[in-house]
Amino acid sequence: GVVTTNKSDIAKKIYSLREHGLIRDKNKFSDKNQGAWYYEQQNLGFNYRMTDIHAALGNSQLNRLTLNTRKRHEISSFYDENLEDLPLKLPFKSEDSYSGMHLYVIRIDTELVKLSHKGIFIELRNRGIGVNLHYIPIYRHPFYKQLGFDPSNFPMSEKYYSSAISIPMFPELNNSQLSYIVKNLKELII
């Protein structure tokens, strides 16, 4: 992925974290009495440096950013207009910002639909619709389960997890595909 910011302090932190948390600016060293080879790891980071090929690909995608974002907003508007009368909670859109519309997550009112959340999900996949669930609460993953996290301590996350489905959202979706998605959702929900 790519991170962008217009804040120089955030950019410096990101540069450091992408290179194992290393600092090479001798003015910021804790130990200033080392040789020219010296660097310090002042934060825990990882190797997030991308290859030149990935950088070129990412750079070329920036040329399509405005068009792709506009297309995602058109798809979102189509979904909003065609799903508004269903027992669903549609994505919140703040009037104070302009989202990249990375995902379109619907929340199913499971008390008002004929199939279960899981049943709707499976049937949409069976019909060739690439739905997903973004995101599984972190405490449900094995690493965190072993730390003793109890799902009952997170009722809102559990409510979200038991009702959310991400429906397809990518710029290449055409009107026929969007109509197919909406038609199938309606069949399964009402």
Side-chain angles (χ1 to χ4, degrees):
V2 174
V3 178
T4 60
T5 181
N6 58 0
K7 307 269 186 205
S8 63
D9 57 328
I10 293 173
K12 288 175 187 171
K13 180 79 167 184
I14 290 168
Y15 289 135
S16 171
L17 293 175
R18 79 166 183 194
E19 296 193 32
H20 305 285
L22 299 177
I23 301 292
R24 298 181 191 280
D25 181 350
K26 62 183 175 186
N27 296 319
K28 296 182 179 176
F29 289 165
S30 296
D31 183 351
K32 298 186 187 313
N33 296 320
Q34 297 294 322
W37 65 85
Y38 189 69
Y39 55 86
E40 291 183 348
Q41 183 174 10
Q42 295 182 351
N43 290 293
L44 180 61
F46 298 91
N47 181 358
Y48 287 126
R49 294 172 295 229
M50 66 174 79
T51 66
D52 291 345
I53 292 171
H54 287 111
L57 179 62
N59 197 34
S60 73
Q61 291 296 310
L62 288 174
N63 296 327
R64 298 169 42 188
L65 181 61
T66 301
L67 178 65
N68 284 347
T69 304
R70 186 178 321 121
K71 180 65 175 160
R72 286 174 179 272
H73 275 266
E74 290 169 10
I75 293 166
S76 175
S77 293
F78 180 89
Y79 283 148
D80 290 347
E81 292 167 18
N82 288 278
L83 300 175
E84 68 182 345
D85 295 330
L86 297 177
L88 301 173
K89 183 175 182 182
L90 303 179
F92 171 77
K93 294 178 184 147
S94 172
E95 294 188 19
D96 297 330
S97 64
Y98 186 72
S99 171
M101 298 307 302
H102 169 62
L103 299 171
Y104 194 94
V105 180
I106 58 172
R107 304 266 313 273
I108 298 167
D109 187 338
T110 54
E111 295 179 13
L112 298 176
V113 296
K114 57 185 178 182
L115 291 176
S116 68
H117 171 253
K118 185 176 182 180
I120 292 168
F121 185 93
I122 290 168
E123 189 55 35
L124 287 169
R125 284 246 177 123
N126 287 341
R127 295 178 184 200
I129 299 171
V131 294
N132 213 329
L133 201 160
H134 295 94
Y135 292 94
I136 300 168
I138 196 165
Y139 55 81
R140 286 182 155 267
H141 292 281
F143 178 81
Y144 294 95
K145 276 185 181 178
Q146 73 180 354
L147 296 176
F149 285 96
D150 180 358
S152 67
N153 290 330
F154 308 97
M156 297 308 292
S157 295
E158 286 299 296
K159 186 174 180 179
Y160 172 86
Y161 185 57
S162 67
S163 66
I165 295 178
S166 298
I167 60 177
M169 170 55 86
F170 53 93
E172 294 79 15
L173 280 169
N174 62 44
N175 288 340
S176 173
Q177 292 167 316
L178 289 167
S179 295
Y180 180 77
I181 293 164
V182 167
K183 172 184 156 297
N184 281 278
L185 264 172
K186 288 181 176 180
E187 285 177 8
L188 296 170
I189 289 177
I190 52 176

Coordinates of all heavy atoms in Angstrom, one line a residue, residues 11 26 117 186:
A11 N 5.3 12.1 8.3 CA 6.1 11.5 7.2 C 7.5 11.0 7.7 O 7.9 9.9 7.4 CB 6.4 12.5 6.1
K26 N 22.2 11.7 12.4 CA 23.1 11.7 13.6 C 22.6 12.8 14.6 O 22.9 12.6 15.8 CB 24.5 11.9 13.2 CG 24.8 13.2 12.5 CD 26.3 13.2 12.1 CE 26.6 14.4 11.3 NZ 27.9 14.4 10.7
H117 N -27.8 -14.2 8.6 CA -26.7 -13.4 8.0 C -25.7 -14.4 7.3 O -25.4 -14.1 6.1 CB -25.9 -12.8 9.2 CG -24.6 -12.2 8.9 ND1 -23.4 -12.7 9.3 CD2 -24.3 -11.0 8.2 CE1 -22.4 -12.0 8.9 NE2 -22.9 -10.9 8.2
K186 N -32.1 -8.4 -3.1 CA -33.5 -8.3 -2.8 C -34.2 -9.6 -2.7 O -35.0 -9.8 -1.8 CB -34.2 -7.4 -3.9 CG -33.8 -6.0 -3.8 CD -34.5 -5.1 -4.9 CE -34.1 -3.7 -4.7 NZ -34.8 -2.8 -5.8

